[in-house]
Amino acid sequence: MAKITYIEHDGTEHAIEVKTGLTVMEGAVKNNIPGIDADCGGACACATCHVYVDEAWTAKTGTKSAMEESMLDFAEGVEPNSRLSCQIKVTDDLDGLVVRMPESQH
């Protein structure tokens, strides 16, 4: 399990325990975290699970695949630390991860 803090655009924080092996997106959806729509269900076929990974965690969350980069082209407000949360697998090393959600996923 890893404790992940999801921060909504308005600053509201949700700190939850997410089971190892799930994705950051699945943790949000299973815990009804607002701000992650996950329209495609985690297939990396949309950009509605876009998050900003806290700078301290960017190296630990891995690199973006070409497919993820392509899908991020459809997201609004993309920054260097933008990721699709469906592409970040939860490991014990991600205990304490902080992600922020954009104002809108559409």
Side-chain angles (χ1 to χ4, degrees):
M1 294 277 251
K3 182 178 179 182
I4 299 175
T5 300
Y6 299 83
I7 303 175
E8 295 181 53
H9 183 264
D10 67 5
T12 304
E13 294 187 15
H14 306 271
I16 60 167
E17 296 282 333
V18 179
K19 188 176 179 180
T20 300
L22 294 179
T23 64
V24 172
M25 180 220 68
E26 289 171 316
V29 170
K30 289 179 183 292
N31 289 281
N32 299 311
I33 304 298
I36 295 184
D37 297 342
D39 289 346
C40 74
C44 197
C46 71
T48 62
C49 67
H50 175 212
V51 295
Y52 302 109
V53 174
D54 189 87
E55 298 292 333
W57 293 93
T58 53
K60 289 188 177 184
T61 56
T63 57
K64 300 172 205 168
S65 68
M67 186 176 199
E68 181 179 358
E69 288 275 9
S70 178
M71 285 297 106
L72 280 167
D73 287 342
F74 296 102
E76 292 181 29
V78 174
E79 299 290 337
N81 62 331
S82 289
R83 292 293 306 272
L84 296 182
S85 58
C86 70
Q87 298 302 296
I88 304 172
K89 284 278 190 197
V90 176
T91 65
D92 291 339
D93 289 340
L94 292 185
D95 187 37
L97 175 66
V98 176
V99 296
R100 290 172 173 74
M101 277 82 81
E103 185 172 6
S104 173
Q105 294 286 3
H106 299 280

